[in-house]
Amino acid sequence: MEVLIGSPSGELRIKGDINMVSQGGKSEGSSSIEIENSNSRLVTSVRGMIDVLPPISPDHCIYRAPQGVRQLNKKAYTPQRVSIGPLHHGKENLLPIEEQKLRYLSAFLDRTKLSLEDCIRFVRGLEQRVRNCYVESVNLSSDEFVKMILVDSSFIIEVIWRYNFPMQQNETDYLSKPISLVDVVRRDMILLENQIPHFVIAGLFNLAFPHHPKTGELSFVELSIHYFGCVSLFNHIPQTISESEVKHFVDLLRLCHLPSTLRTLPRNRVKFVTILTARDLQEVGVSIRKRWSDNILDIQYAKGVLKIPQFDIQDDSEIILRNLIAFEMCHCLSDSYIIDYVVFMDSLMDTAQDVDILVQDEIFESTLFDRASVATLFHNLTLGVVWFSENYYYHGLCQEVSAYCRVPWNKWKAIMKHDHFSTQWRIVSIVAAVILLVLTLIQTVCSVIFILH
């Protein structure tokens, strides 16, 4: 059929079935309506998802390690024996110790004379605040969450209590045996992804032991520091850390490692200045010496002498540093002392020869790593790390060293010392040569005077 449609400019001819034209128009309209309905449903769905998002809490302090560093050494962030908190809760390889946790909860209740009802009431009262500490939403019911926090918290308190106040050995408690999983469990307790907020554990401890004769004046923080002392990098127990400022055990270790003098934030953007390698510093006359300090971050420089506290590298050193670095990247990137320390030490070491110099100067003490492995350790710790170079803690120190290295006289003195005064015999031979030269000169002068007269 041919349809003629009149128009001012003439006739428009459309070939085909008029019913087809009518149906096509109807189909197009229906399609538009369906699209609008679909858009409306999608808007409602997305709006609903946005509306149920939990608010961003200032209490966030427990994170998963950033992917950039986690993929380099997953084992350093993953618990091997015990899960603490929700991020690894329920994993099959961690289930065997759950029975031991319940035994420790029973022992905790017997020791403290607290009722289970009191403990549950206390933890449930803090439930939302505890949930807010985790960056990820915890998909556990209220009862499951409260039970997990109570069981894990009482387990931690019992572990730390038994370490500080040894009990008679119990054959059924494999965590109290000389050869046991105690070191593995302690290592699991300092992983960033395996944490419970400190306020709930300390609160439960204070509820259980308000005036216990064994604790005396010791706080839960001090008992915890003593417990972690054998896997920490510090050589003393700090006395100035209050319970209120501790977020969890990783944060506690970080607070213990802060340098004695904290950074002053720069007002203006500053250019990053790195340190030369140990070998290059030696060649320009900078001496590297061991500094007697309890804190490995307390590095000092004055008048051509760089003093670095001794670092005793142990099996757990990499795990501790990696989790401290991960926490700083997530929580305090603009105030990252541990990251800055690792960057500084990595800059000092480029080859095994640099490590040799630091070992000779007693900066490193290790029977577990060869020279090259020490340099590799610090280099790997900096891979994937994000940090603020403009706020580098050792910026002022590096500037002073750089200024010293630019003075030609200092380099000349270093060359003279290295080439001519490196041993006692060289010094004796040079002094003898100088004396011989002076005597020869005197003899020559005397001969000239005698000839002239």
Side-chain angles (χ1 to χ4, degrees), residues 64-103:
R64 289 197 188 274
Q67 189 62 25
V69 295
R70 198 182 200 285
Q71 64 184 359
L72 297 172
N73 188 347
K74 294 180 181 180
K75 188 176 180 180
Y77 310 98
T78 306
Q80 303 300 306
R81 293 293 183 180
V82 59
S83 68
I84 303 295
L87 298 186
H88 292 272
H89 179 69
K91 289 191 174 180
E92 186 175 353
N93 66 306
L94 304 177
L95 292 179
I97 207 170
E98 292 301 312
E99 180 180 320
Q100 189 72 21
K101 286 185 184 179
L102 291 174
R103 294 186 186 279

Side-chain angles (χ1 to χ4, degrees), residues 140-341:
L140 291 174
S141 68
S142 178
D143 286 352
E144 285 296 317
F145 185 82
V146 169
K147 179 175 68 174
M148 175 195 65
I149 295 297
L150 174 58
V151 171
D152 289 356
S153 296
S154 60
F155 173 77
I156 289 172
I157 291 172
E158 274 294 303
V159 168
I160 292 178
W161 179 275
R162 295 179 187 209
Y163 179 84
N164 283 277
F165 309 110
M167 303 166 53
Q168 185 175 0
Q169 185 171 325
N170 182 351
E171 291 298 325
T172 65
D173 180 7
Y174 56 80
L175 290 181
S176 68
K177 296 177 182 179
I179 300 176
S180 67
L181 298 176
V182 64
D183 291 332
V184 180
V185 170
R186 192 191 335 256
R187 194 178 305 132
D188 284 349
M189 288 168 62
I190 57 174
L191 306 182
L192 178 60
E193 299 179 5
N194 218 32
Q195 296 299 313
I196 288 178
H198 181 266
F199 64 80
V200 68
I201 308 175
L204 191 60
F205 177 87
N206 294 332
L207 182 68
F209 307 109
H211 305 291
H212 198 285
K214 278 191 176 181
T215 62
E217 298 299 321
L218 293 176
S219 67
F220 183 68
V221 164
E222 291 170 313
L223 294 176
S224 300
I225 292 174
H226 186 220
Y227 173 72
F228 290 115
C230 59
V231 296
S232 67
L233 308 177
F234 54 80
N235 300 316
H236 72 305
I237 298 179
Q239 303 295 329
T240 58
I241 299 176
S242 65
E243 285 193 352
S244 60
E245 63 181 316
V246 179
K247 295 174 175 57
H248 43 68
F249 287 144
V250 180
D251 184 47
L252 174 62
L253 289 180
R254 179 179 180 272
L255 292 172
C256 290
H257 289 93
L258 292 182
S260 55
T261 303
L262 300 183
R263 64 162 47 86
T264 301
L265 298 179
R267 294 182 179 180
N268 302 314
R269 185 184 180 94
V270 295
K271 182 180 179 182
F272 171 64
V273 180
T274 188
I275 195 81
L276 295 176
T277 65
R279 180 184 178 186
D280 290 340
L281 288 175
Q282 194 177 67
E283 289 180 352
V284 296
V286 176
S287 299
I288 300 176
R289 299 177 187 171
K290 179 175 72 172
R291 184 186 178 204
W292 296 100
S293 174
D294 293 325
N295 194 311
I296 62 170
L297 273 65
D298 280 336
I299 302 171
Q300 289 186 345
Y301 171 80
K303 299 178 180 178
V305 178
L306 181 65
K307 294 183 178 181
I308 305 175
Q310 188 178 69
F311 184 2
D312 184 11
I313 301 177
Q314 302 293 335
D315 275 334
D316 296 323
S317 297
E318 180 178 359
I319 291 176
I320 296 168
L321 287 171
R322 281 194 175 279
N323 282 273
L324 290 171
I325 289 170
F327 178 60
E328 286 193 338
M329 287 178 63
C330 295
H331 194 79
C332 42
L333 188 57
S334 62
D335 204 23
S336 53
Y337 292 93
I338 306 298
I339 293 176
D340 291 357
Y341 170 79

Side-chain angles (χ1 to χ4, degrees), residues 293-438:
S293 174
D294 293 325
N295 194 311
I296 62 170
L297 273 65
D298 280 336
I299 302 171
Q300 289 186 345
Y301 171 80
K303 299 178 180 178
V305 178
L306 181 65
K307 294 183 178 181
I308 305 175
Q310 188 178 69
F311 184 2
D312 184 11
I313 301 177
Q314 302 293 335
D315 275 334
D316 296 323
S317 297
E318 180 178 359
I319 291 176
I320 296 168
L321 287 171
R322 281 194 175 279
N323 282 273
L324 290 171
I325 289 170
F327 178 60
E328 286 193 338
M329 287 178 63
C330 295
H331 194 79
C332 42
L333 188 57
S334 62
D335 204 23
S336 53
Y337 292 93
I338 306 298
I339 293 176
D340 291 357
Y341 170 79
V342 171
V343 169
F344 181 90
M345 296 303 293
D346 177 53
S347 299
L348 277 177
M349 295 175 286
D350 188 40
T351 65
Q353 187 174 358
D354 296 312
V355 181
D356 283 336
I357 294 172
L358 296 177
V359 170
Q360 290 169 9
D361 294 326
E362 299 183 339
I363 307 305
F364 287 124
E365 183 177 37
S366 174
T367 58
L368 304 175
F369 295 85
D370 56 43
R371 305 292 197 259
S373 296
V374 174
T376 301
L377 168 65
F378 279 89
H379 176 68
N380 289 342
L381 286 172
T382 63
L383 296 178
V385 173
V386 178
W387 63 293
F388 284 149
S389 60
E390 298 87 355
N391 196 30
Y392 188 41
Y393 177 64
Y394 299 105
H395 171 75
L397 182 150
C398 290
Q399 277 191 321
E400 292 182 42
V401 174
S402 179
Y404 181 90
C405 295
R406 289 195 299 267
V407 177
W409 168 248
N410 294 327
K411 186 174 183 178
W412 183 84
K413 285 194 301 181
I415 293 173
M416 289 292 294
K417 181 178 179 180
H418 181 268
D419 293 346
H420 303 291
F421 300 99
S422 57
T423 65
Q424 292 182 343
W425 292 113
R426 285 192 175 185
I427 294 173
V428 170
S429 61
I430 290 174
V431 170
V434 170
I435 293 174
L436 181 61
L437 179 63
V438 170

Side-chain angles (χ1 to χ4, degrees), residues 103-120:
R103 294 186 186 279
Y104 271 35
L105 171 59
S106 177
F108 172 75
L109 294 173
D110 290 342
R111 185 194 317 284
T112 62
K113 306 305 178 184
L114 285 175
S115 70
L116 186 57
E117 291 78 5
D118 288 338
C119 293
I120 290 176

